[in-house]
Amino acid sequence: MKIVILTSSLYGTAAHHLDYLVKSEMIEVKMVVFNEGQIANKKKQYRNKINKILKIGILGALNGIRMRKWFKEDMEKYVKIENIEDMCTRLNISFFRTKTINCEATQNLFKEAIADIGLSLGNGYISPKIFRLPKYGMLNIHHEILPQYQNAQSIIWQLYNGSTDTGYTIHKIDRKIDTGEIIYQEKIPIQFRE
């Protein structure tokens, strides 16, 4: 099965999973597309941030800012994950950078890949013009239980709600965020340690 990977993090989930995917005899990684995360609509972004702050409060927003580094480049320091661009070079996999997730460059790369499945690892909203290009669509690995905990960094809500479980969900990507058909899900008990 031929796959194309779309990611927005050099040290995140995609970098962690790439070695495992390459080792599978059933998978051929055609390319990795890294979205640099430039903002196409700044007004909309600011409006969304204000709405989120109103929802979670100022302390929740400050805690979210504090936790951001846990999901970004500090991953290399804490989890010892290699930079995905370096991994692609080492594994002889094509690596491309695009300005935004849903730009024409991403679309052209997906067409060029002629993949069976697209794999989203650490992205925001992906439009149909991208997720419909692979033969069988795209899958997302969401690091929480769906449908209860949608969107990025939902671990904040897990802790806030006093959940006893966390986990991950693999689901198809559709027009909305984290609402596609669930393919696989696994729950793991939350354990606090000193």
Side-chain angles (χ1 to χ4, degrees):
M1 177 163 299
K2 298 172 185 171
I3 68 167
V4 58
I5 297 172
L6 179 62
T7 186
S8 297
S9 174
L10 293 173
Y11 295 94
T13 306
H16 179 269
H17 294 345
L18 186 59
D19 266 332
Y20 296 104
L21 292 167
V22 169
K23 288 176 185 171
S24 170
E25 293 178 9
M26 299 178 357
I27 294 173
E28 177 188 351
V29 179
K30 296 292 289 181
M31 71 175 60
V32 172
V33 180
F34 170 68
N35 153 50
E36 294 177 341
Q38 291 185 5
I39 307 303
N41 185 339
K42 291 192 181 210
K43 279 186 181 180
K44 184 177 180 183
Q45 181 197 25
Y46 290 127
R47 190 170 45 248
N48 288 343
K49 283 185 178 197
I50 290 168
N51 287 337
K52 187 172 186 177
I53 290 169
L54 292 174
K55 181 178 180 181
I56 65 174
I58 195 75
L59 291 178
L62 291 172
N63 197 36
I65 291 167
R66 181 181 68 87
M67 291 173 64
R68 238 181 235 151
K69 67 181 180 177
W70 300 354
F71 301 93
K72 299 277 186 195
E73 280 67 27
D74 275 4
M75 289 289 290
E76 177 188 26
K77 183 169 84 176
Y78 296 113
V79 189
K80 306 292 186 234
I81 295 176
E82 184 180 355
N83 175 308
I84 195 165
E85 186 172 12
D86 296 340
M87 291 178 76
C88 286
T89 300
R90 176 173 52 83
L91 298 167
N92 199 28
I93 296 171
S94 297
F95 179 87
F96 299 94
R97 290 175 178 262
T98 61
K99 301 292 182 196
T100 64
I101 291 175
N102 298 305
C103 68
E104 188 176 338
T106 303
Q107 193 173 3
N108 291 337
L109 288 167
F110 266 57
K111 286 177 185 175
E112 181 184 319
I114 312 172
D116 297 309
I117 296 279
L119 191 55
S120 169
L121 299 169
N123 296 296
Y125 175 76
I126 301 171
S127 83
K129 70 182 181 183
I130 304 297
F131 74 72
R132 288 185 178 155
L133 288 172
K135 185 175 182 179
Y136 301 110
M138 285 188 76
L139 298 176
N140 180 49
I141 298 179
H142 182 73
H143 293 277
E144 292 303 337
I145 302 301
L146 291 176
Q148 296 91 335
Y149 293 101
Q150 298 173 331
N151 301 313
Q153 299 178 3
S154 48
I155 188 64
I156 296 168
W157 293 109
Q158 292 269 49
L159 298 172
Y160 179 81
N161 291 334
S163 298
T164 57
D165 296 316
T166 186
Y168 65 93
T169 305
I170 300 172
H171 67 94
K172 287 186 176 180
I173 294 178
D174 63 11
R175 289 184 165 273
K176 297 180 182 174
I177 295 177
D178 298 332
T179 60
E181 176 188 349
I182 293 173
I183 305 299
Y184 182 80
Q185 188 171 76
E186 188 167 324
K187 291 184 180 180
I188 302 163
I190 294 174
Q191 298 177 349
F192 292 98
R193 298 184 183 154
E194 295 181 23

